[in-house]
């Protein structure tokens, strides 16, 4: 019902993007054992709780909260995965009920080489692995699912074009690229063999921005007007950024975003500049509606006067 009610543009709004709570990675990374060292995740629980508390304080409320993958560190079938998932669910259930949660699958959620079994398990736990969001993955074990997803994506892009959407935004886990569209292949970006095709498809479809995670650092760049936004993690940091969330404001003309540390967002909320963008756009829309109503009233008065002549 939430999505059905949002097909028509009703004015500016904002949403929260987070990525990589990845319960279990902090200890594993510290101990240098990312395969088996994820048996503790108390720090990540506290950070996820801090993120939820910060979001719940925000006024006005965000339209939704999207988590762009790697919800937990445990790979499918690993010892601690189910426990990590349950603890994350226990945290996220405290999110304000008026703020919908949207989950995007990451490689730690469905595996580096997903199978039908790992995707089905993800869907049972977190919802569809793709819906109005898109994910590229190594499809060697399930090519029929990749084909279905590609067909679905083409349908979605065509539908968005027909509906003349104000903006089209994509959420995925792995970035198309980290800074330059032609950069070399890396663990943290999509390989060139698929990257160029996807970038061009997105560009032709008029997609404004792609939001992702995976890198555990803030990064990004652009390709023919398509902005690639890479957000750092709620959980383990691999660079100099702080644990945080991204606030994304969507107005009729543009998409503006800023990354906040969890402490900053929880203590001070959204900065005045972004709030003013929401308020200014709403004021402009209200003023326009009043002017149109007055013009319509004038026309009716004119028609009424003409009807009594003679």
């Amino acid at each position: 019902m939430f999505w059905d009610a949002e097909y028509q543009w009703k004015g500016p709004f904002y949403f929260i993007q987070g990525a990589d709570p990845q319960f279990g990675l902090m200890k594993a990374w510290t101990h240098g054992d990312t395969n088996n060292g994820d048996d503790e995740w108390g720090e990540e629980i506290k950070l996820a709780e801090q993120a939820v508390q910060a979001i719940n304080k925000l006024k006005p409320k965000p339209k939704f909260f999207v988590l762009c993958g790697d919800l937990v560190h445990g790979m499918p079938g690993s010892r601690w995965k189910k426990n990590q998932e349950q603890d994350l669910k226990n945290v996220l259930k405290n999110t304000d009920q008026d703020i919908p949660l949207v989950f995007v699958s990451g490689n730690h959620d469905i595996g580096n080489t997903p199978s039908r079994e790992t995707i089905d398990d993800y869907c049972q736990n977190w919802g569809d692995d793709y819906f109005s969001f898109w994910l590229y993955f190594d499809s060697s074990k399930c090519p029929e699912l990749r084909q279905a997803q590609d067909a679905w994506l083409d349908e979605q892009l065509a539908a968005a074009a027909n509906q003349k959407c104000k903006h089209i935004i994509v959420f995925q886990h792995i970035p198309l690229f980290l800074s330059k569209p032609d950069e070399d292949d890396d663990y943290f970006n999509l390989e060139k063999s698929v990257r160029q095709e996807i970038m061009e498809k997105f560009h032709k479809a008029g997609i404004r921005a792609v939001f992702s995670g995976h890198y555990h650092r803030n990064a990004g760049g652009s390709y023919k007007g398509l902005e690639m936004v890479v957000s750092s993690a709620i959980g383990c940091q691999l660079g100099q950024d702080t644990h945080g969330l991204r606030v994304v404001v969507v107005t009729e003309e543009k998409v503006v975003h800023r990354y906040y540390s969890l402490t900053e967002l929880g203590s001070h909320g959204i900065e005045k500049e972004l709030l003013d963008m929401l308020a200014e756009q709403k004021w402009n829309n209200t003023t326009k509606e009043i002017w149109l109503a007055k013009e319509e009233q004038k026309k009716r008065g004119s028609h009424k006067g003409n009807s009594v002549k003679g």
Side-chain angles (χ1 to χ4, degrees), residues 79 82 210:
R79 181 178 180 182
K82 294 298 181 185
V210 176

Side-chain angles (χ1 to χ4, degrees), residues 57-73:
K57 287 181 182 179
L58 295 174
K59 295 183 189 302
K61 295 177 183 179
K63 184 70 73 174
F64 58 89
F65 171 30
V66 56
L67 273 173
C68 287
D70 279 2
L71 306 176
V72 302
H73 183 66

Side-chain angles (χ1 to χ4, degrees), residues 195-244:
R195 186 193 312 161
Q196 184 62 41
E197 177 186 351
I198 295 170
M199 290 191 304
E200 194 60 26
K201 179 179 289 189
F202 284 1
H203 164 66
K204 289 180 179 178
I207 290 173
R208 180 66 63 91
V210 176
F211 289 88
S212 71
H214 189 55
Y215 192 43
H216 294 256
R217 286 154 281 196
N218 287 312
S222 63
Y223 173 80
K224 296 183 178 180
L226 166 67
E227 184 177 12
M228 181 67 247
V229 183
V230 185
S231 294
S232 196
I234 294 172
C236 185
Q237 299 296 310
L238 302 185
Q240 301 303 312
D241 295 298
T242 56
H243 310 281

Side-chain angles (χ1 to χ4, degrees), residues 34 36 39 57 108 128 159 180 204-205 226 239 242 244-245 251 266 268-269 278 282 293 308:
T34 56
N36 301 298
D39 58 340
K57 287 181 182 179
H108 279 263
D128 291 343
K180 298 179 181 179
K204 289 180 179 178
L226 166 67
T242 56
L245 296 163
T251 72
H268 305 292
L278 295 170
K282 287 180 179 178
V308 296

Side-chain angles (χ1 to χ4, degrees), residues 43-266:
E43 289 186 72
E44 286 96 334
I45 290 177
K46 291 178 182 178
L47 289 166
E49 289 175 338
Q50 188 178 358
V52 168
Q53 290 166 7
I55 291 170
N56 287 346
K57 287 181 182 179
L58 295 174
K59 295 183 189 302
K61 295 177 183 179
K63 184 70 73 174
F64 58 89
F65 171 30
V66 56
L67 273 173
C68 287
D70 279 2
L71 306 176
V72 302
H73 183 66
M75 285 287 191
S78 62
R79 181 178 180 182
W80 302 108
K81 185 175 183 65
K82 294 298 181 185
N83 301 79
Q84 292 167 354
E85 288 180 331
Q86 187 56 56
D87 283 347
L88 178 58
K89 289 178 182 179
N90 289 341
V91 174
L92 293 177
K93 71 181 182 183
N94 294 315
T95 307
D96 189 311
Q97 292 184 354
D98 292 330
I99 304 173
L101 287 166
V102 179
F103 302 106
V104 178
S105 54
N107 56 301
H108 279 263
D109 304 312
I110 58 176
N112 289 321
T113 306
S115 65
R116 181 175 288 277
E117 181 182 2
T118 64
I119 292 175
D120 287 346
D121 185 68
Y122 172 85
C123 292
Q124 290 173 10
N125 274 289
W126 302 102
D128 291 343
D129 60 315
Y130 65 91
F131 34 105
S132 288
F133 306 95
W134 186 86
L135 165 74
Y136 170 79
F137 54 81
D138 178 350
S139 58
S140 59
K141 287 189 177 180
C142 46
E144 72 284 359
L145 295 183
R146 170 69 192 281
Q147 291 170 5
Q149 182 179 255
D150 285 349
W152 168 88
L153 174 62
D154 290 338
E155 291 174 3
Q156 293 296 311
L157 295 178
N162 290 335
Q163 293 170 2
K164 298 181 180 179
C165 296
K166 297 290 183 183
H167 307 287
I168 309 173
I169 297 173
V170 172
F171 301 100
Q172 58 190 55
H173 177 61
I174 299 177
L176 298 171
F177 56 88
L178 299 176
S179 60
K180 298 179 181 179
D182 60 348
E183 66 195 20
D184 291 337
D185 290 351
D186 187 275
Y187 172 76
F188 291 107
N189 62 20
L190 286 189
E191 58 188 63
K192 285 185 176 180
S193 62
V194 297
R195 186 193 312 161
Q196 184 62 41
E197 177 186 351
I198 295 170
M199 290 191 304
E200 194 60 26
K201 179 179 289 189
F202 284 1
H203 164 66
K204 289 180 179 178
I207 290 173
R208 180 66 63 91
V210 176
F211 289 88
S212 71
H214 189 55
Y215 192 43
H216 294 256
R217 286 154 281 196
N218 287 312
S222 63
Y223 173 80
K224 296 183 178 180
L226 166 67
E227 184 177 12
M228 181 67 247
V229 183
V230 185
S231 294
S232 196
I234 294 172
C236 185
Q237 299 296 310
L238 302 185
Q240 301 303 312
D241 295 298
T242 56
H243 310 281
L245 296 163
R246 190 172 296 277
V247 174
V248 185
V249 175
V250 182
T251 72
E252 195 164 4
E253 292 84 18
K254 55 189 175 180
V255 177
V256 180
H257 53 87
R258 184 191 160 188
Y259 186 85
Y260 289 82
S261 72
L262 297 180
T263 301
E264 182 183 12
L265 191 63

Side-chain angles (χ1 to χ4, degrees), residues 12-56:
F13 64 92
Y14 79 98
F15 63 85
I16 303 296
Q17 184 227 358
D20 303 280
Q22 206 156 343
F23 281 21
L25 177 58
M26 293 181 76
K27 181 189 175 185
W29 186 263
T30 301
H31 288 244
D33 183 6
T34 56
N35 292 324
N36 301 298
D38 60 333
D39 58 340
E40 294 180 12
W41 49 90
E43 289 186 72
E44 286 96 334
I45 290 177
K46 291 178 182 178
L47 289 166
E49 289 175 338
Q50 188 178 358
V52 168
Q53 290 166 7
I55 291 170
N56 287 346

Side-chain angles (χ1 to χ4, degrees), residues 258-260 264-265 268-276:
R258 184 191 160 188
Y259 186 85
Y260 289 82
E264 182 183 12
L265 191 63
H268 305 292
I270 302 172
E271 63 190 280
K272 186 176 182 298
E273 180 182 355
L274 295 183
L275 290 174
D276 286 348

